[in-house]
Amino acid sequence: MRPHLRAVSDTEGLRRSASGTEGLRRANTGAVLRALRELGPSTRSELATHTGLAKATVGVIVADLEAARAVAEEGSRPGVRGRPGRPVALRGDRFVSLGLELNVDYVSAVVLDLAGDIVSTTSRAGGTSDDLSDLARSALDEHVGADDVLVGTTLAVPALVRADDRTVAWAPNLRVEWADLADALGSLVPDVRVGVSNDANCAAYAESHHGAARGASHALYVTGTVGIGAGIVQDGELVRGGAGFAGEVGHMAVGDSTALCGCGRRGCWEASIGMKAMLAAVDMSELDTPLRTAEAVAERAATDASVRDGLERVGRDVGLGIAVLSTVLDPEVVVMGGYFAVLGDLVLEPARRTLDERLVSAAQVRPELRTSTLGIEAAALGAAEQSFGPVLLGEVDLLA
Amino acid sequence: MRPHLRAVSDTEGLRRSASGTEGLRRANTGAVLRALRELGPSTRSELATHTGLAKATVGVIVADLEAARAVAEEGSRPGVRGRPGRPVALRGDRFVSLGLELNVDYVSAVVLDLAGDIVSTTSRAGGTSDDLSDLARSALDEHVGADDVLVGTTLAVPALVRADDRTVAWAPNLRVEWADLADALGSLVPDVRVGVSNDANCAAYAESHHGAARGASHALYVTGTVGIGAGIVQDGELVRGGAGFAGEVGHMAVGDSTALCGCGRRGCWEASIGMKAMLAAVDMSELDTPLRTAEAVAERAATDASVRDGLERVGRDVGLGIAVLSTVLDPEVVVMGGYFAVLGDLVLEPARRTLDERLVSAAQVRPELRTSTLGIEAAALGAAEQSFGPVLLGEVDLLA
DNA sequence: TGACTTTAGTTCGAGACTCGTACTTAATAG
DNA sequence: CTATTAAGTACGAGTCTCGAACTAAAGTCA
C-alpha cells in the first residue's frame, strides 16, 4: 500500500464550481492548464493572450503551479528579438489519474499524468473483481510514488451506468458483486473519488483526446464485437442522456429488418453488423478472441472475393447506421473501434459510399470515418482522462 | 422607430465569461436570476441557500437588480415565526427579448420578458423578408417601450443553420435574400445581437422551458408536417453538432425501407411518417393548411376504422424512429409537435407500444411521449428564450 | 562597443468582489 | 411584556484580477 498517497479531496473541491474569489482562481487555473495542454510548452505571455488573462495574473498562477510541481520551466527558445520567453510545460511526475476497465474476459489499467502522457498501460485476461483490483494495485505500486497525487479513478464497464456516474443499472454480460468491487477499490485508493462509466463512452472520450478524433470537438465512436455500442462527444463533453444510457445503438432498428438479434427482436443494427452477422456474411466461424477472428477474416479477404463481397454487404449496413447517427448528431469525425478497426477499409469503404448516398443535403459534409488507433486500452485511457476533467475545468483544486 | 431603445451590448458583454471579479459578479447574478426563474418569488435567504452564496452577497446582488428594475419586492408572507422574509420576484416590464420565426407560409413574433412570461405573440400569413420585418416592427412598437431593454433577438428558420448561429447553409424551402433580411433586422434593432437558429431546435428549447418538457433537462422534440425535424436538448442546452446541423432526422433510414421520399432516396423516415405518407395511409387528400388537414383526419378517424388503422400503421413507424432516437439520446421526455400534436393518441398510442417493444433492456425506462402544447408560436417562443440564455448564464451584464 | 529597440516578466497599488460575524429589525409564542 | 426566532444589513478582512510602471534580457544597428 501507499500510505502517503495524497488525494485531491472530493467533498471539498467539488462543492461549488465558482462563487467566491478562490473559485475564480480555480477556474482561471483550469484555463491555464487547458491552454498548456492545448498549446504545449508556452511562455507566460502566450498563456496570457490565449486565456485572455492579464500577464500579471498568469504570472501568479504559474508560480503557484510551479510550487505545486504541476509545471516546470523549460529552456528558453532564443533567436527572436526581445527578451526571450521562458516556456513552462506541464509536468507529468506528480499528478496522475488511474483509469480501469473491467470487461467480460479482460481487465485493463492505465495511469495517465497531468501532461496527458500515458505513464503505464497494462491488460490481462480475466474478468473478476479480484483480477481488476490486483491489476490496479500493481499499477499503483509500480507507477504512483508516495509523494504523488492521485486526482481520481474511473472504472469503465460494459454496462448501463446511471447518470450519477457511480452505479450500474444493467450489466447482462458481467457477473460482479458491485458492492464488493466498490469496497475493494475504495480501500485501494482511500479518499479518492471513484467514478464508474460506460466503456464505449470512455473509449469515445479517449479517441477525442488522444486518438483518431483528436482536435474534433464533436465526435462519435462506434465499437463492436458481438455487441455494438457507441459514445457521443459534443463540444468536448460526453453526451450521457437523462438516465445516463445514451449511446446504446446496438439495438436500434437499422439495417436488415428481418435479421434476428440475440436479444430476441428483429431488425437491430447489431443483427446486421455485429460480429456474428459479419461472420455469417463471410461464411467463417469464430476463433478464440474477437481480435484474432477479425484478423483471420482480413487475411482471407486478401485472397477470397466472396469474403470481400460479404464485408461489402456488412459495410453498407454499417454506413446506413452511421448515416442515421450522423444526421441526428452531426459529428465531425466518426471513429470505428472493435473489429471494424481490424478490418478497416474492407468495411469502411462501402460504409463511406452508403454514407455519401444518404447525406441530407449538398450543404452537409460527410463526417470523416476513421479507424481507432488506441487498441484495447482505449476505454481505460478514456476513464483516466475523465478523472482529469474536473481538474482541467477548474472544478477542483490541485494546490494546497 | 424607438430611438431610446437600449440594448445589452454584445461586444462588451460576451467578451469573456468569467475571469475578473466583475465576471464573477455576472456569474453570481446569473445564478440568482436562474434561482428566481426556478423557484418563483423568493426571499434573500431562500436565494442564499439555493445558490450557495452568502446572505450578504445575495443582498448586494438583489439590491443591484432592484435598482436596474429587474426584480421587485412583493408583499411579505406572514404566519411563520421570526422576522418575515421579503420575497423578491422577477419583473417583466423592463427586460425583454424578441423571438421571430420565418417559415414557408407564415411569420411569427413573440416578445418574452425576463420573468419568462409571454408579453405578446402574433402570427401572420406570408413568408417574405418584408412580412417578417413588418411583424417584428409592430411587435416592438406595441410592446417594447422606449425605456425597455431588448436583451437579444433570435430568428428561427426551417433551414440548416451553421454553428456560428448567424448564417444559413441550406434552406431549400425558403426564397429569401439573407443579406437583406440581416440588414432589415439589424436596422430594426440596432446594437442588439441577432441570432439565427433552426426552427426545430427553437421549438425544442421552448418545449423544455415552457411546454410539455418543462422540468426535464433531457428532452427530444419531433415535429412534422411534410418534412420531419427534431431538436435535442441535453442538460438543458441544445445539441447542435459540429456544423450546427444536428437533429435533421427526416431523412434517416428508418421505417419502410422501400418508401420513396421526396428527396429521391428510399427508406427515409419522412417517407413513412411525413404528412404525405400519413395521408396516403388513411386515403385522404391534403387541404389548404397542414393544421386543417390533420384536423380533418382526426375527425374522420372518430367514425372510420380504416382511418384509424392507417394511423396505427403510421404510429408504429413513428414509434420505430422514436425508439432509434431514444436509444441514442436517452431523453426523459419526447414532445411531438406538428401534425402529431393534432392527431394525438391516434398516432402516439401505437408509437408507445412499438417503443416498449424496442427498449434495450429492463433497466431502461420508456421516455414519456407527449404532445406539444405550444402551438404555432413554439419556434418563435424558443427563439426568444434563447436570447435570454446568456443573461441567465451570467455571460452578459444586465446592469450598467 | 554601446546606445537603442523589442519583448518577457514582475512589482505594486487600486478596485471589485465574497464572506463571516456581529448587529439590527420584525415578526410570533408564551 | 419578554423571550425567541429568523431575515436582512453593516462592516471589516481576505482574495483576486488588472493596468501601469518598471526591470530584465535578449537582438539590432551605428
Side-chain angles (χ1 to χ4, degrees):
Chain A
M1 293 298 293
R2 291 146 309 286
H4 300 301
L5 184 80
R6 268 196 42 219
V8 172
S9 166
D10 152 41
T11 46
E12 172 63 31
L14 288 179
R15 206 182 40 203
R16 57 170 65 110
S17 105
S19 74
T21 58
E22 53 212 274
L24 184 55
R25 166 57 70 91
R26 270 211 314 275
N28 286 339
T29 304
V32 169
L33 291 173
R34 285 198 304 278
L36 283 170
R37 269 261 183 128
E38 193 180 321
L39 306 175
S42 323
T43 67
R44 291 160 181 78
S45 301
E46 290 165 348
L47 291 171
T49 55
H50 190 262
T51 57
L53 296 169
K55 274 199 305 177
T57 309
V58 173
V60 177
I61 290 175
V62 167
D64 282 358
L65 287 172
E66 205 171 358
R69 289 192 284 147
V71 304
E73 286 198 349
E74 291 197 331
S76 66
R77 294 169 295 202
V80 287
R81 220 180 144 86
R83 174 178 170 176
R86 326 227 300 103
V88 292
L90 291 170
R91 284 178 67 163
D93 57 351
R94 178 120 199 262
F95 296 94
V96 296
S97 75
L98 175 64
L100 301 171
E101 180 181 7
L102 174 63
N103 214 311
V104 179
D105 53 1
Y106 69 94
V107 292
S108 302
V110 167
V111 178
L112 186 73
D113 68 27
L114 180 61
D117 292 326
I118 296 169
V119 177
S120 96
T121 151
T122 36
S123 292
R124 188 182 292 173
T128 69
S129 206
D130 288 342
D131 294 330
L132 182 72
S133 29
D134 286 351
L135 192 70
R137 192 188 318 277
S138 60
L140 289 173
D141 283 340
E142 284 169 41
H143 299 103
V144 182
D147 192 38
D148 294 350
V149 178
L150 186 65
V151 300
T153 297
T154 303
L155 170 64
V157 284
L160 293 183
V161 180
R162 292 204 184 84
D164 61 4
D165 286 349
R166 281 172 185 266
T167 55
V168 169
W170 199 56
N173 301 320
L174 296 179
R175 300 203 149 273
V176 176
E177 274 306 319
W178 297 105
D180 295 350
L181 179 55
D183 285 350
L185 292 178
S187 65
L188 196 60
V189 286
D191 301 321
V192 173
R193 182 192 162 92
V194 178
V196 183
S197 198
N198 174 269
D199 59 344
N201 281 353
C202 286
Y205 204 70
E207 293 291 350
S208 80
H209 282 80
H210 296 267
R214 186 167 199 166
S217 53
H218 298 259
L220 175 67
Y221 172 81
V222 177
T223 184
T225 53
V226 176
I228 303 290
I232 303 161
V233 176
Q234 283 271 326
D235 257 322
E237 292 298 318
L238 285 169
V239 169
R240 296 194 147 81
F245 304 163
E248 292 297 323
V249 299
H251 300 279
M252 65 182 191
V254 164
D256 179 359
S257 63
T258 64
L260 186 63
C261 181
C263 71
R265 285 176 289 235
R266 287 181 186 277
C268 299
W269 198 24
E270 197 167 303
S272 289
I273 69 160
M275 187 112 169
K276 288 185 179 165
M278 184 273 287
L279 287 173
V282 299
D283 198 23
M284 290 177 65
S285 52
E286 208 170 344
L287 303 184
D288 53 342
T289 72
L291 182 68
R292 227 181 297 275
T293 312
E295 282 167 349
V297 173
E299 202 170 320
R300 273 270 293 272
T303 59
D304 187 335
S306 76
V307 168
R308 288 197 296 275
D309 286 350
L311 293 178
E312 163 100 19
R313 279 205 306 283
V314 172
R316 280 200 296 264
D317 280 338
V318 169
L320 210 57
I322 302 281
V324 168
L325 295 171
S326 295
T327 47
V328 175
L329 297 167
D330 182 26
E332 300 159 57
V333 179
V334 179
V335 181
M336 305 296 295
Y339 86 80
F340 306 112
V342 179
L343 294 181
D345 283 345
L346 290 166
V347 170
L348 296 196
E349 265 310 314
R352 288 194 187 95
R353 287 196 298 274
T354 307
L355 198 47
D356 278 334
E357 285 165 18
R358 297 219 60 103
L359 282 182
V360 169
S361 78
Q364 263 184 325
V365 178
R366 160 155 62 78
E368 270 199 63
L369 216 55
R370 302 182 187 157
T371 52
S372 166
T373 54
L374 293 176
I376 200 168
E377 275 102 2
L381 174 58
E385 188 64 58
Q386 274 194 66
S387 289
F388 269 118
V391 172
L392 296 175
L393 288 174
E395 290 167 3
V396 114
D397 195 1
L398 275 189
L399 325 170
Chain B
M1 293 298 294
R2 293 146 310 286
H4 299 301
L5 183 80
R6 265 197 43 220
V8 172
S9 166
D10 151 41
T11 47
E12 173 63 31
L14 288 179
R15 206 183 39 204
R16 57 170 66 110
S17 99
S19 73
T21 57
E22 52 213 273
L24 184 55
R25 165 60 68 91
R26 271 211 312 275
N28 286 340
T29 305
V32 169
L33 291 173
R34 286 198 303 279
L36 283 170
R37 269 262 182 124
E38 192 180 323
L39 305 174
S42 323
T43 67
R44 292 160 181 77
S45 300
E46 290 165 348
L47 291 172
T49 56
H50 190 263
T51 58
L53 296 169
K55 273 198 305 178
T57 308
V58 173
V60 176
I61 290 176
V62 168
D64 282 356
L65 287 172
E66 206 170 357
R69 290 191 285 148
V71 304
E73 286 199 348
E74 291 196 329
S76 67
R77 295 168 295 203
V80 288
R81 222 181 142 88
R83 173 177 171 177
R86 326 227 299 102
V88 291
L90 291 171
R91 285 179 64 164
D93 56 352
R94 177 118 199 263
F95 297 94
V96 296
S97 75
L98 175 65
L100 302 171
E101 180 183 6
L102 174 63
N103 214 309
V104 179
D105 54 1
Y106 70 92
V107 291
S108 302
V110 167
V111 178
L112 186 73
D113 68 28
L114 180 62
D117 291 328
I118 296 170
V119 176
S120 95
T121 151
T122 36
S123 292
R124 186 182 294 173
T128 69
S129 205
D130 288 343
D131 294 330
L132 182 72
S133 30
D134 286 351
L135 192 70
R137 192 188 318 276
S138 60
L140 288 173
D141 283 339
E142 285 169 38
H143 298 103
V144 182
D147 191 39
D148 293 350
V149 178
L150 185 66
V151 299
T153 297
T154 302
L155 169 64
V157 284
L160 293 184
V161 180
R162 292 203 184 82
D164 62 2
D165 285 350
R166 281 173 185 266
T167 55
V168 169
W170 199 56
N173 301 321
L174 296 178
R175 300 202 148 273
V176 176
E177 274 305 320
W178 296 106
D180 296 351
L181 180 54
D183 285 349
L185 292 178
S187 65
L188 196 60
V189 286
D191 300 321
V192 174
R193 182 193 161 90
V194 178
V196 183
S197 199
N198 174 270
D199 60 343
N201 281 353
C202 287
Y205 204 70
E207 293 291 350
S208 80
H209 282 79
H210 296 267
R214 187 167 197 166
S217 52
H218 298 258
L220 174 67
Y221 173 80
V222 177
T223 184
T225 52
V226 175
I228 304 289
I232 304 161
V233 176
Q234 283 271 327
D235 256 323
E237 291 300 318
L238 284 169
V239 169
R240 296 194 147 81
F245 304 163
E248 292 298 323
V249 298
H251 300 279
M252 64 182 192
V254 164
D256 179 358
S257 63
T258 65
L260 185 64
C261 180
C263 71
R265 284 177 289 236
R266 287 183 186 277
C268 299
W269 197 24
E270 197 166 303
S272 290
I273 70 161
M275 189 111 171
K276 289 185 178 163
M278 183 273 286
L279 288 173
V282 300
D283 198 23
M284 289 177 65
S285 52
E286 206 169 344
L287 302 184
D288 53 343
T289 71
L291 182 68
R292 228 182 297 276
T293 311
E295 282 167 349
V297 173
E299 203 170 320
R300 273 269 294 274
T303 58
D304 187 337
S306 75
V307 169
R308 288 198 297 275
D309 285 351
L311 292 179
E312 164 98 19
R313 280 205 306 284
V314 172
R316 281 200 296 264
D317 279 339
V318 169
L320 210 56
I322 302 279
V324 168
L325 295 172
S326 295
T327 47
V328 175
L329 297 167
D330 183 26
E332 299 159 57
V333 179
V334 179
V335 181
M336 305 294 297
Y339 85 79
F340 306 111
V342 179
L343 296 181
D345 283 344
L346 290 166
V347 170
L348 296 195
E349 265 310 315
R352 288 194 188 93
R353 286 196 299 274
T354 307
L355 199 47
D356 278 333
E357 286 165 17
R358 296 220 61 103
L359 281 183
V360 170
S361 77
Q364 263 185 322
V365 180
R366 160 154 62 78
E368 270 200 64
L369 215 55
R370 301 180 187 158
T371 52
S372 166
T373 53
L374 293 176
I376 198 168
E377 276 102 0
L381 174 58
E385 188 65 57
Q386 275 194 66
S387 289
F388 269 117
V391 172
L392 297 174
L393 289 174
E395 291 167 3
V396 113
D397 195 0
L398 276 189
L399 326 169

